[in-house]
Amino acid sequence: MADKKINDYKASNIQVLEGLEAVRKRPSMYIGDTAQRGLHHLINEVVDNSIDEALAGYCDYLKLTIHEDGYITILDNGRGIPVDEHPKLKLPAVEVVLTKLHAGGKFDKDSYKVSGGLHGVGVSCVNALSAHFYAEIHRDGEIYVMEFEKGATVTPLKMIGETEKTGTIIKFKPDPEIFTQSTEFKFDIIADRMRELAFLNPEISVDIIDEREEDESLRSKSFHFSGGVKDFVKFLDESRESMMKEPIYIKGEVEQVPVELAMQYNNSYTENIFSYVNNINTREGGTHISGFRRALTRCLKSYAEKNNIIKSNSKITISGEDFREGLTGVLSVKVPEPQFEGQTKTKLGNSEVQSAVEIVVYEKLNEFLEQNPKIAKKVLEKVVLAAEAREAARKARQLIQRKSVMGGGGLPGKLADCSINDPEHCEIYLVEGDSAGGSAKMGRNRSFQAILPLRGKILNVEKAKINKILENNEIQAIVTALGAGVGHGEDDFEMDKLRYHKIIVMTDADVDGSHIRTLLLTFFFRYMHPLIEKGYVYIATPPLYRITASRGQIDYAWDDETREKIIKELRKNNKKFDVSRYKGLGEMNPSQLWETTMDPETRTLQQVTIENAAAADKMFSTLMGGDVEPRREFIERNAKYATLDI
Ligand code: 0RA
């Protein structure tokens, strides 16, 4: 693909800012954290460069390999990192790119820089944080290699042969001195991101190979979606029923801002719009999302009025969110110089983008409605139903409030609250069943731990309307106990009123327990989303086994491997022992429950995080949605992952 554009790169374009010691000293400043997320971010940093090459029209293939020895290889067929000498530094450009911070070299306005969130810190950061880093460049008919350890050059650039291809191969092994928790890459996290990139860039093909996987059929995945965002929407809605044959597809460009959108209405009650700027998921939204919302509302409203679908004398008022209920969409814009704002730097600030998106969407959507009057009518009928449900939900909310005021103190009767009231230090356990709830109440530290027992199954919010959800007793109890409201409307959920900063779901380690846990997480994900974004939701991990030996020695095991280890040790010491498997939380007495699952000193909590918003939506809709077939398939595919990573 190298001949597509004239190769006009000059090494002097590369700006040099600082050295790599800073990155090793404070890795979190550059990659967010040094846990799972930061580790996987290393891959994004390299892949972003390949995607930049694709956006510039030079690259259409990417191959990622996870090796058994902890290395990752990322190969692309882009132009290859330039190797000519940097005039000021008298170093090969590639060395500058790989060893100097912020030496991007892509400062021409034609390219779409990625600098949202943690993206755009540069491949040099990956180099700095790798025990070993190898770069191979195919460019100008020649193959060059260079090697580093912890960011320091160990093999200066050398030519090792000839080639007819162009491209870059980066191979690196994260430094365990930096990533002290773990250096193990998760195939699913990588695959979710690669799939997303393949949807957003229909010109590229991606192969992922996991050499650690023994099962041949699970070893590799390939992604190529010629339908782009349209395919993305179909994928997201696989387990929902669409109201239209094909997603509405819109593409246009205003003022150098290419806008692409695919969307379809489905039989669910949630809004699922994912937005991207230069391939970065803009979770906090921004001007492109406002432009889209304005266009959608204006367009549907004026169509409804023109065609007398919503009578002007009707009592219901339709609000913006009603037009988005049951709408799945992917909005992708490319912005030459994006300004990212917000807490996680994933909110687009460029004001010109709002009008660009609004103009493109309004015009094309109008055309669509005019050409598809039947669909238009169905959509608007759905919008009216949404408005009615919203009105009913408002009444249900008032009822919850009134109930809690009359209930004295305003809290649900079965809540055993904690005595301090500083949310930052308070936790609430949502416990499956009254009997486990009783043990938890007795075992807890009542100063900062509150217990709310939940009886039976809570409602599947994936299949119910908001007003029905708010009528459900268990949900009402959770909403009042947490104190921050519920819903995705602007003022429905108020974080500053939240009464606990740790919300801990504690269910039995069996099928029912995991079902209840998933129901609760689905509810938080859909209706108290900021809780999950903030990382306030946790899963308690009760042990699976108790091993009782002579003289009252008790050990707990959370998995089979540890159980076997403990047994082996006991046998070695010639001790008698008894192994019992906990079937439910109720089998533990209060002190055992405290010791194993609730004591902050000894417990392990799994924090619920979202690595990838689209993948999380897909998971919940598949687990909890309507169609039985994809659901079974999903569970089968994921059966080996016992824990729930959203
Ligand atoms: C600096 C400048 C140019 C490309 C790249 C770096 C580049 C980096 C990576 C990392 C992985 N794959 C990559 N591909 C390219 C611009 C090159 C030019 O103008 O010729």
Side-chain angles (χ1 to χ4, degrees), residues 476-494:
Q476 285 187 3
I478 296 171
V479 173
T480 18
L482 298 190
V486 58
H488 27 227
E490 234 91 294
D491 322 303
D492 293 339
F493 187 79
E494 296 168 285

Side-chain angles (χ1 to χ4, degrees), residues 269-289:
Y269 303 104
T270 44
E271 171 186 343
N272 277 304
I273 312 290
F274 297 98
S275 64
Y276 296 86
V277 174
N278 302 352
N279 291 313
I280 298 163
N281 181 206
T282 34
R283 279 195 207 182
E284 297 175 275
T287 49
H288 53 327
I289 276 290

